[in-house]
Amino acid sequence: MDPVLVEQNNALAKELAAVYFDFLDTNRPRLHDLYSAVPSLIWSGNSIEGLDNLQQFLVALPKSKHTVDVVEVQPSAAVDGVEILLLNAKGSVTYGSDAAVAFSESMVLIPSETGGWVIQNECYRLH
């Protein structure tokens, strides 16, 4: 794979992660803009399918504050001719007045119609 393209895609994916965690903490109604038309989410073992269900689930979560320590992006083999990226993030999160706990998140990103990336699948886990 072209190293320049890899670096560009890494930058775009890391930008998407920054926007995602900002929206998750401050503007959850806008999260739907970051997903594909038919996303899926596993959140600490709970499976959510479809954009509307996912949006309802995320909006209903308690107020949060994420501190992201690491974001890593890796290109993966194309699936059915569609290039994908794997994004992994780690850090800590505080919900309401609870103590901070560690979290990890993995996302499968696919190209968006506008030239960036959107979330197709994700797995979020509290530790």
Side-chain angles (χ1 to χ4, degrees):
M1 180 173 261
D2 178 0
V4 173
L5 183 59
V6 168
E7 189 56 38
Q8 289 172 344
N9 286 340
N10 283 347
L12 287 171
K14 287 180 179 181
E15 182 179 316
L16 181 138
V19 171
Y20 171 85
F21 287 107
D22 178 54
F23 284 0
L24 190 57
D25 290 339
T26 65
N27 196 357
R28 290 188 186 153
R30 297 251 354 251
L31 280 168
H32 68 85
D33 295 338
L34 305 179
Y35 287 92
S36 70
V38 286
S40 64
L41 164 67
I42 297 177
W43 187 282
S44 291
N46 298 299
S47 180
I48 298 100
E49 299 284 333
L51 191 54
D52 290 340
N53 293 334
L54 189 141
Q55 183 71 21
Q56 290 173 6
F57 176 82
L58 293 174
V59 167
L61 290 171
K63 183 171 175 55
S64 62
K65 174 64 179 135
H66 286 80
T67 301
V68 180
D69 298 325
V70 177
V71 175
E72 297 172 331
V73 181
Q74 177 181 346
S76 185
V79 176
D80 294 332
V82 176
E83 181 182 3
I84 62 173
L85 296 178
L86 304 176
L87 184 145
N88 293 299
K90 290 182 179 183
S92 61
V93 60
T94 303
Y95 288 102
S97 60
D98 294 345
V101 295
F103 79 91
S104 61
E105 179 147 26
S106 299
M107 299 178 183
V108 174
L109 307 179
I110 61 172
S112 72
E113 295 176 4
T114 60
W117 296 91
V118 291
I119 303 164
Q120 177 66 36
N121 300 309
E122 74 181 300
C123 182
Y124 185 99
R125 175 71 62 181
L126 297 174
H127 301 279

